Amino acid sequence: MLDRFITLLKKGEVVAFPTETVYGLGADAQNPDAIKKVFETKGRPSDNPLIVHVSDQKQVKQFATNISEDARKLMDTFWPGPLTLIFKKKPEVLDLITAGLDTVALRWPKHPLSQELIALAGPLVAPSANSSGKPSPTKAEHVKEDFGKDFPVVEAGETAIGLESTVLDISSEPYTIYRPGAISAQEIANIIHKNVEYKSTKSQETTAKSPGTKYTHYTPDASVQWLKENPHIADNTLYLLHSRTISDGKNMIQYEGNFNKMAHELYDRFRQADHLGYTAIAIEPFSDDQYDNPIVQALQNRISKAIG
Ligand code: AMP
Ligand code: MG
């Protein structure tokens, strides 16, 4: 089933494929022309580095140096899975991938089709398969919305998690999370017995070390906002609620404390809101105790960025 896609990748073309987080836009990590096509297809700024996707731990050595004991423990525990690790890079890693940084981001995704594709076509750079600035794709049809109906996509239904991986820099200490995801700072700290920092604000230090964090992301055309305490209810607003009830109505989406489901559906709701003509999306804010849940931290991060 993957033959056609492997042939395309080996010819230097780009192909979208499912991972357990979101759909990725894959290209051969050894082929500069193929990598350029990734930036062109997405309209991605060239100073935003790409994550290289591997299909086993051995491939890490092709890209990274100084693979520490902590790195081993993290890979053994969380790979394959939604954790991207940033290592010091080998000199031969293409600058196109790393945007000229001295580090490289690596991840082994869990979806069986992504694993098969990488095992047969080689390590792939793979940012999310959306036009830059749009919500990440969690269904094959989202990819086709952005890149056209004939775009090559390995189709496999909806992605399980629905939000992008945790990005953790282990190239220098203290280890720092640049992007929260399904795997939390606490879970990571429990494995390596070291403090893990997460800077939720856009500090200059973070944008220099992980340039992607400075760009607007995840934005539908509808205006995204936090739901107010006493909101004025409008028909042209879509409401995403996890704890409160306001009223019945097809524009009231209730998650009843199921934050994993909310994460799984968030980007699809963003895209649907545009198709259905909603002009605003009002999302119930999270409380401090809910914020202990890693997926709530990831939701908070993506929603804040969508608000801008
Ligand atoms: P995307 O694949 O589009 O979901 O985004 C990849 C994220 O990983 C972006 O926020 C990048 O800035 C970040 N990233 C990729 N490579 C590096 C690196 N070498 N150092 C720091 N951040 C990185
Ligand atoms: Mg992205």
Side-chain angles (χ1 to χ4, degrees):
M1 173 215 168
L2 290 176
D3 291 356
R4 174 168 87 89
F5 300 103
I6 291 159
T7 307
L8 284 170
L9 287 166
K10 288 191 170 162
K11 278 203 315 211
E13 297 299 328
V14 293
V15 161
F17 64 95
T19 77
E20 77 279 29
T21 59
V22 300
Y23 276 77
L25 182 64
D28 180 351
Q30 319 280 2
N31 181 335
D33 292 331
I35 299 167
K36 281 186 199 140
K37 281 185 196 154
V38 168
F39 284 97
E40 283 162 19
T41 306
K42 283 185 61 96
R44 184 179 176 103
S46 59
D47 69 348
N48 191 356
L50 303 173
I51 299 171
V52 177
H53 290 63
V54 296
S55 59
D56 60 42
Q57 278 195 34
K58 274 184 271 160
Q59 291 169 345
V60 169
K61 285 197 227 109
Q62 292 175 37
F63 300 90
T65 59
N66 304 350
I67 303 167
S68 64
E69 192 53 36
D70 287 341
R72 285 279 166 228
K73 285 185 195 157
L74 293 170
M75 292 189 285
D76 287 344
T77 310
F78 297 111
W79 281 11
L83 177 67
T84 295
L85 294 173
I86 295 177
F87 295 87
K88 283 269 179 265
K89 79 172 187 98
K90 283 202 154 164
E92 57 267 36
V93 178
L94 297 169
D95 275 342
L96 272 173
I97 297 180
T98 63
L101 298 170
D102 63 353
T103 55
V104 63
L106 296 167
R107 178 165 105 84
W108 176 0
K110 196 167 194 157
H111 197 291
L113 285 174
S114 62
Q115 294 181 345
E116 204 180 323
L117 197 69
I118 298 162
L120 294 168
L124 302 175
V125 295
S128 50
N130 52 283
S131 295
S132 234
K134 287 281 162 205
S136 296
T138 57
K139 296 176 173 174
E141 65 206 64
H142 296 161
V143 180
K144 297 196 171 194
E145 257 169 45
D146 285 10
F147 300 149
K149 68 176 178 21
D150 295 326
F151 197 85
V153 188
V154 178
E155 298 197 24
E158 298 177 15
T159 58
I161 298 174
L163 299 179
E164 304 81 351
S165 59
T166 304
V167 176
L168 174 70
D169 188 348
I170 53 167
S171 69
S172 60
E173 295 197 30
Y175 299 160
T176 307
I177 290 184
Y178 295 139
R179 177 172 75 186
I183 295 173
S184 68
Q186 189 58 55
E187 286 170 276
I188 293 164
N190 288 346
I191 301 300
I192 51 175
H193 308 292
K194 282 183 187 164
N195 192 34
V196 175
E197 298 204 343
Y198 166 49
K199 297 196 183 72
S200 58
T201 50
K202 278 191 196 172
S203 69
Q204 272 196 357
E205 193 192 336
T206 305
T207 55
K209 287 190 176 166
S210 189
T213 53
K214 72 173 177 272
Y215 291 107
T216 310
H217 276 309
Y218 327 116
T219 43
D221 295 332
S223 115
V224 183
Q225 47 201 246
W226 292 115
L227 181 70
K228 299 202 173 60
E229 193 80 43
N230 295 305
H232 161 75
I233 304 301
D235 284 345
N236 58 4
T237 298
L238 180 69
Y239 296 85
L240 302 185
L241 308 166
H242 49 77
S243 307
R244 291 176 64 169
T245 316
I246 299 181
S247 62
D248 289 335
K250 64 175 179 8
N251 60 337
M252 300 283 167
I253 312 299
Q254 283 287 356
Y255 288 103
E256 295 172 346
N258 190 341
F259 298 111
N260 288 336
K261 182 163 188 231
M262 190 170 180
H264 175 80
E265 289 186 5
L266 183 75
Y267 293 145
D268 189 45
R269 294 283 179 197
F270 279 6
R271 284 175 182 262
Q272 274 176 24
D274 288 343
H275 297 321
L276 297 170
Y278 289 106
T279 55
I281 304 170
I283 306 178
E284 183 179 355
F286 304 104
S287 63
D288 287 349
D289 57 320
Q290 289 166 341
Y291 200 68
D292 290 341
N293 179 340
I295 210 71
V296 172
Q297 280 179 39
L299 277 164
Q300 163 88 23
N301 168 271
R302 304 312 190 272
I303 294 164
S304 304
K305 288 203 167 202
I307 291 172

